[in-house]
């Protein structure tokens, strides 16, 4: 639940960032176009771009969350199309002002994807872009001329130069859009990699203790037992664990298991692999000869019996009984596990809190 909320907040932050980027970009472009239309002496478009600049300024200043982004972006979409159509109708289609509406095509897909996800993205963006393209084609057809200004444009700003200016601005905007898209894709890939690592960890490790789980330990056992080095196996069970749970509660029981897991893992160290075998049972495979392995098993029991765990207002004594076997007794994993399991229960029936290495 917490992860879902976090991902939702990140998505909203991404949508808001792209929204502000679009608004600032449009504000900068329209501010420039006021100057351009002033030199072109096209008063209606000066007014249009002045109103548009004010609109984008208000959007940047007052919209601070995603609640009204959909409405604002629809207004942005409408403004750009209206602006492109008016330019075609008033000055002609040869100046390249329709390029700003063409810029909308990838942006519309991106915005609808952020807002509604993949399922609705293609339908909604497709409809909006069909409207966009249709408006451009119809206005170009109705305009009928690439240059509708009666006296043309002054020599300082020939038609071709204005087209190139618009082409450069539109191209730069497309490049910035592309950078935004690539950044978003990179973030998504990073999230997928992180999620994949988390899922792999959950598939191979115990969620409570962080140790390997029972289903994954077989691979490690096969690797260790197939070598020429001596190895040994221990299976430990926390004594009277049900009583701990019943007396102090399951949270206390979990606290004890985490401590026991950490103790065994530290004592085994780099000489072996520890897994949570199930419940309060822990299995360790060590690349050690029998004598050294027995010492490690005894050290585990000694360490646990020496410490009284504190949990909230409770003081809890934790001990462990361990069944132990060496690779000299068998190379077969199932056989060794049967041995340590039998020896574990011998220890349970003979006072607990001990290591049993013989059947």
């Amino acid at each position: 639940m917490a992860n879902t909320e976090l991902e939702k907040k990140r998505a909203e932050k991404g949508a808001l960032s792209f929204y502000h980027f679009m608004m600032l970009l449009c504000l900068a472009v329209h501010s420039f176009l006021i100057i351009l239309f002033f030199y072109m002496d096209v008063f209606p478009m000066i007014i249009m771009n002045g109103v548009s600049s004010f609109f984008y300024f208000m959007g940047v200043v007052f919209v601070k969350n995603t609640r009204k982004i959909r409405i604002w972006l629809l207004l942005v979409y409408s403004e750009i199309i209206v602006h492109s159509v008016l330019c075609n109708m008033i000055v002609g289609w040869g100046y390249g002002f329709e390029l700003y509406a063409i810029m909308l095509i990838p942006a519309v897909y991106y915005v609808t994807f952020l807002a509604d996800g993949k399922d609705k993205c293609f339908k909604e963006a497709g409809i909006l872009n069909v409207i966009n393209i249709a408006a451009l084609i119809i206005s170009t057809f109705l305009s009928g001329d690439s240059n509708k200004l009666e006296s043309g444009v002054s020599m300082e700003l020939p038609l071709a130069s204005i087209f190139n200016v618009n082409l450069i601005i539109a191209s730069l905007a497309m490049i910035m859009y592309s950078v935004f898209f690539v950044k978003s894709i990179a973030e998504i890939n990073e999230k997928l990699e992180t999620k994949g690592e988390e899922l792999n960890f959950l598939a191979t490790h115990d969620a409570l203790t962080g140790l390997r789980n029972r289903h994954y330990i077989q691979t490690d056992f096969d690797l260790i037992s197939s070598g020429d080095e001596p190895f040994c196996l221990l299976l430990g069970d926390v004594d009277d664990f049900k009583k701990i749970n019943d007396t102090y509660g399951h949270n206390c029981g979990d606290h004890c298991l985490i401590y026991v897991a950490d103790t065994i893992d530290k004592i085994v160290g780099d000489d072996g692999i520890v897994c949570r075998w199930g419940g309060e049972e822990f299995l360790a495979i060590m690349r050690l000869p029998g004598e050294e392995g027995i010492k490690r098993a005894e050290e585990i029991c000694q360490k646990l019996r020496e410490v009284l765990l504190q949990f909230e207002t409770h003081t809890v004594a934790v001990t462990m009984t361990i069944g132990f076997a060496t690779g000299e007794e068998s190379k077969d994993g199932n056989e060794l596990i049967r041995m340590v399991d039998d020896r574990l229960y011998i220890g349970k029936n003979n006072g607990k809190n001990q290591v049993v290495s013989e059947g």
Side-chain angles (χ1 to χ4, degrees), residues 234 261-272 274 286 288 292 295-304:
L234 68 82
D262 185 60
T263 300
I264 298 173
D265 195 44
K266 285 180 178 177
I267 292 174
V268 171
D270 295 332
D271 293 316
V274 182
M286 297 178 285
L288 295 170
E292 181 60 30
K295 289 180 181 179
R296 298 288 178 95
E298 293 284 3
E299 186 180 351
I300 291 168
C301 283
Q302 183 66 27
K303 181 70 174 177
L304 292 176

Side-chain angles (χ1 to χ4, degrees), residues 6 28 37 46 58 63 94 101 103 139 150 164 194 199 253 260 297 299 313:
L6 184 61
F37 282 117
I46 295 174
M58 296 293 285
V63 179
M103 280 188 339
S139 63
E150 293 180 3
N164 288 335
T194 302
L199 290 173
V260 170
E299 186 180 351
T313 59

Side-chain angles (χ1 to χ4, degrees), residues 274-340:
V274 182
C275 87
R276 186 179 179 189
W277 191 243
E280 64 273 21
E281 290 186 330
F282 297 87
L283 181 76
I285 307 167
M286 297 178 285
R287 304 179 191 88
L288 295 170
E291 292 181 2
E292 181 60 30
I294 281 281
K295 289 180 181 179
R296 298 288 178 95
E298 293 284 3
E299 186 180 351
I300 291 168
C301 283
Q302 183 66 27
K303 181 70 174 177
L304 292 176
R305 73 169 66 100
E306 287 177 349
V307 177
L308 292 176
L309 292 183
Q310 298 296 320
F311 180 78
E312 297 178 348
T313 59
H314 309 300
T315 301
V316 185
V318 178
T319 62
M320 172 171 276
T321 303
I322 295 176
F324 180 86
T326 69
E328 295 177 358
E329 297 178 80
S330 175
K331 291 285 186 179
D332 181 79
N334 292 328
E335 177 65 17
L336 275 176
I337 289 172
R338 186 192 62 77
M339 286 183 186
V340 293

Side-chain angles (χ1 to χ4, degrees), residues 15-16 18-24 26-27 30 51-81 104 107-108 111-112 115 128 177:
L16 197 60
F18 184 72
Y19 158 80
H20 281 126
F21 164 74
M22 284 188 64
M23 299 297 273
L24 287 169
C26 291
L27 175 60
H30 280 289
V51 173
S52 296
S53 296
F54 179 74
F55 162 73
Y56 288 117
F57 174 77
M58 296 293 285
V60 171
V61 171
F62 290 106
V63 179
K64 301 298 183 181
N65 54 59
T66 59
R67 283 179 295 180
K68 296 182 179 180
I69 280 186
R70 182 183 290 274
I71 296 173
W72 277 89
L73 289 176
L74 186 59
L75 292 173
V76 171
Y77 167 86
S78 303
E79 188 280 330
I80 293 174
I81 293 177
L104 278 176
V108 165
V111 169
T112 53
L128 291 173
Y177 282 153

Side-chain angles (χ1 to χ4, degrees), residues 78-325:
S78 303
E79 188 280 330
I80 293 174
I81 293 177
V82 169
H83 184 275
S84 299
V85 168
L86 286 177
C87 285
N88 281 349
M89 300 300 294
I90 295 173
V91 303
W93 49 263
Y95 292 94
F97 290 104
E98 65 274 9
L99 293 173
Y100 298 115
I102 293 174
M103 280 188 339
L104 278 176
I105 294 174
V108 165
Y109 277 103
Y110 182 64
V111 169
T112 53
F113 173 75
L114 287 179
D116 299 317
K118 182 187 69 175
D119 295 336
K120 294 183 179 180
C121 168
F122 293 107
K123 180 180 178 181
E124 293 182 0
I127 292 172
L128 291 173
N129 282 324
V130 166
I131 294 171
N132 179 6
I133 295 169
L136 292 180
I137 293 174
I138 292 171
S139 63
T140 301
F141 176 78
L142 293 177
S143 171
D145 196 349
S146 62
N147 184 359
K148 294 177 68 70
L149 301 180
E150 293 180 3
S151 58
V153 184
S154 63
M155 291 302 292
E156 289 78 10
L157 287 171
L159 184 150
S161 295
I162 295 175
F163 178 86
N164 288 335
V165 168
N166 286 326
L167 179 60
I168 290 170
I169 294 174
S171 298
L172 289 175
M174 290 292 284
I175 290 170
M176 286 188 280
Y177 282 153
S178 299
V179 170
F180 233 102
F181 299 158
V182 170
K183 183 181 176 182
S184 297
I185 292 170
E187 289 176 352
I188 290 171
N189 285 337
E190 186 177 340
K191 289 178 184 177
L192 289 174
E193 288 177 4
T194 302
K195 185 65 69 176
E197 290 173 359
E198 290 175 357
L199 290 173
N200 182 63
F201 183 86
L202 290 174
T204 58
H205 290 72
D206 173 58
L208 177 66
T209 63
L211 299 177
R212 284 175 171 80
N213 61 31
R214 179 171 184 163
H215 302 290
Y216 191 67
I217 197 70
Q218 186 64 46
T219 303
D220 298 308
F221 181 85
D222 291 341
L223 183 64
I224 293 173
S225 63
S226 62
D228 296 328
E229 295 181 55
F231 70 94
C232 53
L233 196 73
L234 68 82
L235 179 64
D237 182 272
V238 179
D239 296 327
D240 302 314
F241 184 71
K242 185 177 183 302
K243 184 178 179 181
I244 293 175
N245 271 339
D246 292 343
T247 304
Y248 305 111
H250 289 279
N251 288 338
C252 180
D254 288 346
H255 179 71
C256 292
L257 291 177
I258 292 170
Y259 174 76
V260 170
D262 185 60
T263 300
I264 298 173
D265 195 44
K266 285 180 178 177
I267 292 174
V268 171
D270 295 332
D271 293 316
I273 298 158
V274 182
C275 87
R276 186 179 179 189
W277 191 243
E280 64 273 21
E281 290 186 330
F282 297 87
L283 181 76
I285 307 167
M286 297 178 285
R287 304 179 191 88
L288 295 170
E291 292 181 2
E292 181 60 30
I294 281 281
K295 289 180 181 179
R296 298 288 178 95
E298 293 284 3
E299 186 180 351
I300 291 168
C301 283
Q302 183 66 27
K303 181 70 174 177
L304 292 176
R305 73 169 66 100
E306 287 177 349
V307 177
L308 292 176
L309 292 183
Q310 298 296 320
F311 180 78
E312 297 178 348
T313 59
H314 309 300
T315 301
V316 185
V318 178
T319 62
M320 172 171 276
T321 303
I322 295 176
F324 180 86

